[in-house]
Amino acid sequence: MKRASQSQQVQSTKSRPESAARTAAAPTPPTTPPTPNVGGAKTGGIGRRICYAVGNLGQAAFYNALSTYFVVYVTSTMFAGVDKALAARLIGIITGLIVVIRIAEIFLDPLLGNLIDNTTTRFGRFRPWQVIGGCVSALLLALVYTGLFGLVDVSETWFVILFVVVFIALDVLYSLRDISYWGMIPALSEDSHERSVYTALGSFTGSIGYNGITVVVIPIVTYFSYVFTGSRAESQSGWTAFGIIVALLGVITALTVAFGTRENESVLRAKAQKNGNPLQAFAALAKNDQLLWVALSYLLYAIANVATTGVLLYLFKFVLGQPAAFSIAGIIPIITGLVAAPLYPVLNRYIPRRYLYIAGMVFMIAGYVMFIVGAQNLSLVIIALVLFYIPATFIQMTAILSLTDSIEYGQLKTGRRNEAVTLSVRPMLDKIAGAFSNGIVGFIAVAAGMVGTATATDMTATNIRTFKMFAFYTPLALIVASLLVFVFTVRIDEKMHARIVEELEARLADGEGGMDGSASMDDAA
């Protein structure tokens, strides 16, 4: 039987002392045994936290090796022994295929999330994909870093065909690992703060893994090149060794998550409706207004963020005239990321994440203002970079946690608990923003005359104004729009989530499913 309103529902769960007392005093055991905790581990153990955090160390390193340094390897070494004209053509084909595959992946991620959501094993829903996705993608990464064992020297056609097959499989399996990793958070805990701890730990180790690869890639490649060739120049053997090392790290960290964590099979998860096919899952997401508003706010932020970070080299090279100082733009985000990630859950104990998000946006707005007024002064640019990067972790973690908590919100509205599909939205948004970034950066470079043999001395006042317009003014407008969307439409927070969980537990205990989508959470908010 449906209740009249959400406020009545929430109130009813708080006014059941007599019924609770009768249940506690009952001399006979309940007819339905308590739902087991898969693996028997308690929620929030220190060992589980550590094992979960270790997972993103290898996962982020893997991603950087796949998305950044694989292209470097392709353009510098993979076709080193091939005729120059043929090598140029093959580089164009391979890099073009990578772009096409990445764009297609934007639409594939939700389907992979639905596959994970519909996985049922005695090991849980997410851990099997850590093993499958982590181990097989690692093997394929090592394979592509061998140049497919020199197949191009045998047959150009077969090389291209096999590369397409292997790279698509690699990208899909990595995505399965990534989506199942972040999708696991709501299965580890229903508590909003505990989820923030897991998110912070994953972000912290991810920063180490991603940026650590940047630090070690050249030493690894040159060392193993010297070992196998006697020369420190980049070689196929050096890059192959690099690929194998990253692959081994990926396997070890994936298995650490798979065997060191346990999914908590709570009442909310056990009694949720079946997730259904992709169309049913997408229909449920479409009814989840809080998910959609958070996604829109984050997408606006992400486009602004990548548009600016993508042209920082142009700022140092053509506006400041100090390209050697560009390393500052890499050091600052490493430091701020390592500080902000562990600090977030501490601050979140005392400050609601809504205000952390708003404060982060204010910092970014201040950073953009500083970029605009001080673009030609290195000291002011450094201050702007600090203001720009400090809030990035806070904004991203708040978005992840808001998306995570929207899982229970959607379950209350529709009865469906779409964990992996919901949390595939964030990487999908990052990929959309990345696709925009490629076009934005190219457009800015051409529009501002920052191409070819141009130098800082060739820049006119008009060139600088054009650069600022698209690198700073337009992203600033997107950040303001993101902030307004979040402030006026996003209502999901820690308190609202706690009320939703309480109401869900009460409804499921009474044998009622989720709602039919016609009710609103306005009263619960």
Side-chain angles (χ1 to χ4, degrees):
M1 181 178 69
K2 296 183 181 178
R3 297 171 190 171
S5 71
Q6 291 294 335
S7 58
Q8 290 172 337
Q9 294 170 19
V10 174
Q11 184 61 36
S12 68
T13 65
K14 297 179 180 179
S15 57
R16 299 185 180 186
E18 294 139 345
S19 123
R22 286 195 300 270
T23 302
T28 57
T31 56
T32 303
T35 304
N37 183 336
V38 175
K42 293 182 179 180
T43 301
I46 294 176
R48 182 193 294 189
R49 290 178 178 179
I50 293 173
C51 289
Y52 182 82
V54 167
N56 206 32
L57 179 71
Q59 186 164 296
F62 192 104
Y63 177 76
N64 201 7
L66 178 62
S67 63
T68 302
Y69 294 105
F70 181 68
V71 176
V72 174
Y73 160 65
V74 169
T75 56
S76 65
T77 306
M78 180 182 273
F79 304 114
V82 179
D83 175 75
K84 288 186 178 181
L86 176 59
R89 184 157 61 90
L90 288 172
I91 289 172
I93 292 173
I94 296 302
T95 53
L97 285 171
I98 291 174
V99 171
V100 171
I101 292 169
R102 287 288 164 78
I103 293 174
E105 190 184 355
I106 292 173
F107 306 98
L108 182 63
D109 280 358
L111 299 178
L112 298 179
N114 182 251
L115 171 64
I116 295 169
D117 275 335
N118 284 294
T119 299
T120 304
T121 73
R122 67 189 184 91
F123 301 106
R125 179 177 296 168
F126 303 99
R127 294 161 61 214
W129 292 109
Q130 287 294 296
V131 176
I132 298 170
C135 293
V136 181
S137 65
L139 176 64
L140 295 177
L141 182 76
L143 177 60
V144 296
Y145 267 103
T146 68
L148 303 186
F149 296 109
L151 180 61
V152 69
D153 296 326
V154 178
S155 171
E156 172 191 340
T157 302
W158 279 110
F159 171 82
V160 172
I161 293 172
L162 186 59
F163 177 85
V164 171
V165 173
V166 170
F167 195 85
I168 289 175
L170 167 59
D171 219 35
V172 168
L173 286 160
Y174 168 77
S175 295
L176 283 167
R177 178 186 175 181
D178 186 48
I179 295 169
S180 63
Y181 179 82
W182 293 108
M184 188 184 295
I185 292 177
L188 296 176
S189 177
E190 294 169 7
D191 178 71
S192 193
H193 176 72
E194 181 69 13
R195 290 176 175 181
S196 75
V197 172
Y198 281 110
T199 305
L201 289 171
S203 299
F204 178 74
T205 55
S207 179
I208 296 173
Y210 186 90
N211 295 300
I213 285 296
T214 299
V215 174
V216 303
V217 56
I218 296 304
I220 289 175
V221 172
T222 55
Y223 171 75
F224 283 99
S225 294
Y226 177 77
V227 168
F228 289 102
T229 68
S231 171
R232 295 193 180 276
E234 293 179 26
S235 69
Q236 177 62 61
S237 55
W239 280 107
T240 298
F242 171 74
I244 292 172
I245 290 171
V246 175
L248 288 173
L249 180 63
V251 170
I252 292 169
T253 53
L255 294 179
T256 300
V257 176
F259 293 101
T261 63
R262 295 293 185 271
E263 298 173 30
N264 179 29
E265 195 60 48
S266 64
V267 172
L268 267 60
R269 301 185 74 223
K271 293 190 176 182
Q273 292 181 21
K274 298 297 182 182
N275 289 292
N277 59 45
L279 291 179
Q280 291 172 318
F282 295 156
L285 294 185
K287 296 177 182 178
N288 191 331
D289 56 284
Q290 288 303 288
L291 165 67
L292 298 178
W293 286 124
V294 172
L296 176 60
S297 178
Y298 182 77
L299 179 61
L300 293 170
Y301 155 79
I303 294 174
N305 183 60
V306 298
T308 299
T309 56
V311 298
L312 288 178
L313 177 58
Y314 296 96
L315 172 65
F316 280 84
K317 183 177 180 180
F318 295 105
V319 181
L320 287 170
Q322 301 184 55
F326 178 63
S327 60
I328 295 172
I331 295 171
I332 290 175
I334 292 175
I335 296 173
T336 56
L338 294 178
V339 172
L343 185 62
Y344 184 91
V346 176
L347 292 177
N348 193 212
R349 283 187 177 274
Y350 309 100
I351 304 172
R353 64 178 181 235
R354 179 180 186 83
Y355 298 111
L356 292 176
Y357 189 92
I358 293 172
M361 286 295 186
V362 171
F363 267 87
M364 289 202 77
I365 290 171
Y368 273 113
V369 172
M370 192 66 68
F371 274 131
I372 291 169
V373 301
Q376 293 169 283
N377 182 295
L378 181 59
S379 297
L380 294 180
V381 166
I382 291 174
I383 295 173
L385 286 169
V386 172
L387 292 171
F388 179 81
Y389 279 116
I390 278 179
T393 300
F394 284 14
I395 293 170
Q396 292 166 8
M397 288 180 59
T398 298
I400 292 171
L401 288 166
S402 297
L403 290 170
T404 303
D405 286 354
S406 74
I407 291 170
E408 283 80 21
Y409 176 87
Q411 184 179 357
L412 185 58
K413 291 193 73 173
T414 69
R416 297 189 185 277
R417 186 178 177 85
N418 303 106
E419 294 173 329
V421 171
T422 298
L423 292 176
S424 72
V425 169
R426 198 267 312 170
M428 180 180 69
L429 296 175
D430 283 334
K431 289 166 186 173
I432 293 173
F436 273 106
S437 174
N438 294 334
I440 291 170
V441 172
F443 174 78
I444 292 174
V446 173
M450 299 175 176
V451 294
T453 58
T455 64
T457 56
D458 298 320
M459 296 298 104
T460 65
T462 300
N463 292 138
I464 301 300
R465 281 197 302 270
T466 301
F467 176 81
K468 286 184 177 181
M469 173 61 67
F470 296 108
F472 302 136
Y473 282 104
T474 303
L476 173 58
L478 292 173
I479 289 295
V480 172
S482 173
L483 176 59
L484 293 176
V485 169
F486 188 87
V487 169
F488 291 106
T489 64
V490 176
R491 295 177 288 112
I492 191 84
D493 59 14
E494 297 91 332
K495 290 183 179 180
M496 180 181 178
H497 177 257
R499 289 194 293 270
I500 291 170
V501 169
E502 181 182 5
E503 175 60 22
L504 265 175
E505 290 174 341
R507 290 174 63 83
L508 292 171
D510 287 346
E512 301 178 36
M515 301 178 71
D516 61 3
S518 60
S520 168
M521 284 303 304
D522 291 340
D523 295 323

